[in-house]
Amino acid sequence: MPASPPKPAGAGLAAALARSRMLNPLAWFDTGAQIEVRRFAGPASFVAQLASPLRIAHVTDIHVGRITPMKIQRAAVDLVNAERPDLVCITGDFVCHSQAFLDQLEELLRGYEAPVMAVLGNHDHWSGGPEVRRTLRRAGAEVLDNVHTTITLRGQALQVVGLDDAYTGHADVERATRGLRHDLPTLGLSHIAEEADHLWTAGVQLVLSGHTHAGQVTLARLNELALGRLIGHKYVHGLYGSRVDVRPCGAVYVGAGIGAAVIPLRVGERARREVTIFELGAAPGSFEEHHVDQPALPGRPPTEKQKNKRIQQVEAKRERRERKAARARLRSDDDDR
């Protein structure tokens, strides 16, 4: 009897994974409160600019709504508070598809024990940018809409630049960086990571971002295939660029997020829900980090047609909300008669 051909490397593992998923299909869906804490140092230039490290917690894409249980949202807040950061930065997509959970969002943000700075994402504009913005401010967060500000943390100045959402056409880098000081450590916040390319040239050494959810499936680098090659993102998840080279270079971090907008599917270590801690003022390599700086993917910027379609989508959703509200008022008037 001829010998069986050798199985390809990894075939046994793949079969075991397939069997486990087939027997328990719910294992594809991450409904638990497991959240990874990933740690990084800041840019090398911050070492000379800061007398002692400042701890920044980065959270993104919380998507408060029906898809992500509130127990997970609260677990993320508790995890951040346990790290005792000097500042919490949240880079957009606070809501999912509506304004139905704004009260829960406000309650959640009030739970942070450190100051909160935030920028909006595409879901926030789709659901109603002004309403989300008001909720964040009621909760005590500072919303940076194409502006920069300087905050004093433990007696040290940190300059923070915030871009409104680029996906929906609201970002204005020139306005946000006008008058930026270059003698201060500067942190950038942008929902879309590709805006880092413009912020670096303006002197922003480190940019925090989100939007991609790390692709939510990172096995066999499927996230890079789907979000990189097919959609055209240069930055999919993790740390890209350089924390050592001087301007016009810089670094950008793309967070995996806490919530989801469609389904809570998260497969692979890099896809797990995430809180990221940055020690600004610590030198890169001075402690064990989750991974080293990565090179960018080739990327493909959106066409003018795509940009216009996204802008029109925000307007169409706003008009739909207004029509729905008008119908509700009419029904209420009829009931009062």
Side-chain angles (χ1 to χ4, degrees):
M1 183 175 179
S4 300
K7 293 181 180 180
L13 176 60
L17 284 172
R19 285 195 300 271
S20 67
R21 295 300 183 185
M22 289 168 61
L23 291 173
N24 182 18
L26 290 179
W28 288 110
F29 299 92
D30 181 4
T31 57
Q34 180 184 4
I35 301 169
E36 293 290 314
V37 178
R38 297 183 168 117
R39 302 179 188 278
F40 297 89
S45 60
F46 285 11
V47 176
Q49 293 175 313
L50 292 169
S52 61
L54 296 175
R55 178 169 293 178
I56 308 299
H58 175 224
V59 178
T60 192
D61 296 88
I62 60 178
H63 286 291
V64 175
R66 293 184 179 88
I67 306 298
T68 306
M70 284 301 291
K71 71 174 183 179
I72 293 175
Q73 303 286 7
R74 295 189 183 100
V77 173
D78 291 343
L79 189 55
V80 167
N81 288 339
E83 292 291 331
R84 301 180 65 83
D86 298 296
L87 178 68
V88 178
C89 295
I90 310 180
T91 50
D93 277 5
F94 291 88
V95 296
C96 203
H97 296 283
S98 75
Q99 299 173 21
F101 290 84
L102 290 180
D103 289 345
Q104 289 91 328
L105 172 61
E106 182 177 351
E107 171 205 341
L108 194 71
L109 291 182
R110 288 184 183 277
Y112 285 112
E113 296 169 358
V116 175
M117 288 191 170
V119 292
L120 298 191
N122 52 299
H123 274 268
D124 304 318
H125 283 288
W126 288 342
S127 301
E131 291 82 2
V132 174
R133 203 177 275 116
R134 282 196 293 269
T135 300
L136 300 181
R137 287 174 174 152
R138 275 201 312 269
E142 184 170 356
V143 184
L144 301 178
D145 290 325
N146 297 318
V147 295
H148 65 269
T149 188
T150 301
I151 185 172
T152 301
L153 303 170
R154 290 193 286 109
Q156 301 181 96
L158 176 68
Q159 197 168 221
V160 185
V161 179
L163 288 187
D164 202 347
D165 177 54
Y167 186 93
T168 55
H170 290 87
D172 188 337
V173 175
E174 182 180 353
R175 178 184 166 197
T177 58
R178 190 176 299 136
L180 202 64
R181 289 177 58 177
H182 300 301
D183 60 328
L184 295 178
T186 305
L187 181 66
L189 308 180
S190 171
H191 186 60
I192 302 299
E194 282 72 20
E195 293 302 299
D197 295 352
H198 308 299
L199 289 169
W200 293 339
T201 61
V204 182
Q205 301 102 315
L206 174 64
V207 180
L208 306 180
S209 63
H211 184 63
T212 64
H213 304 188
Q216 295 192 205
V217 178
T218 60
L219 292 179
R221 307 187 80 162
L222 287 175
N223 57 337
E224 293 187 358
L225 173 64
L227 297 179
R229 290 185 177 274
L230 299 182
I231 295 178
H233 282 294
K234 292 175 66 176
Y235 312 116
V236 172
H237 173 248
L239 193 63
Y240 297 87
S242 173
R243 290 171 291 168
V244 177
D245 293 338
V246 296
R247 221 174 16 156
C249 298
V252 59
Y253 189 84
V254 188
I258 296 295
V262 182
I263 54 175
L265 175 68
R266 286 183 180 265
V267 182
E269 187 271 335
R270 290 286 289 266
R272 293 173 187 162
R273 305 179 195 277
E274 172 186 310
V275 166
T276 315
I277 301 297
F278 279 88
E279 301 287 352
L280 305 186
S286 60
F287 59 87
E288 185 176 354
E289 299 177 307
H290 183 263
H291 60 264
V292 298
D293 304 4
Q294 307 166 128
L297 300 174
R300 185 177 62 254
T303 64
E304 288 302 315
K305 183 178 179 180
Q306 287 173 319
K307 291 179 182 178
N308 291 332
K309 184 177 179 180
R310 293 170 181 177
I311 293 170
Q312 292 164 8
Q313 190 176 25
V314 173
E315 183 63 18
K317 288 178 181 292
R318 183 189 63 79
E319 292 174 353
R320 195 177 305 128
R321 288 194 305 274
E322 290 180 352
R323 288 195 298 269
K324 184 177 179 180
R327 289 195 296 270
R329 286 193 297 270
L330 286 174
R331 286 195 298 271
S332 178
D333 292 344
D334 290 341
D335 292 341
D336 292 339
R337 289 192 186 102

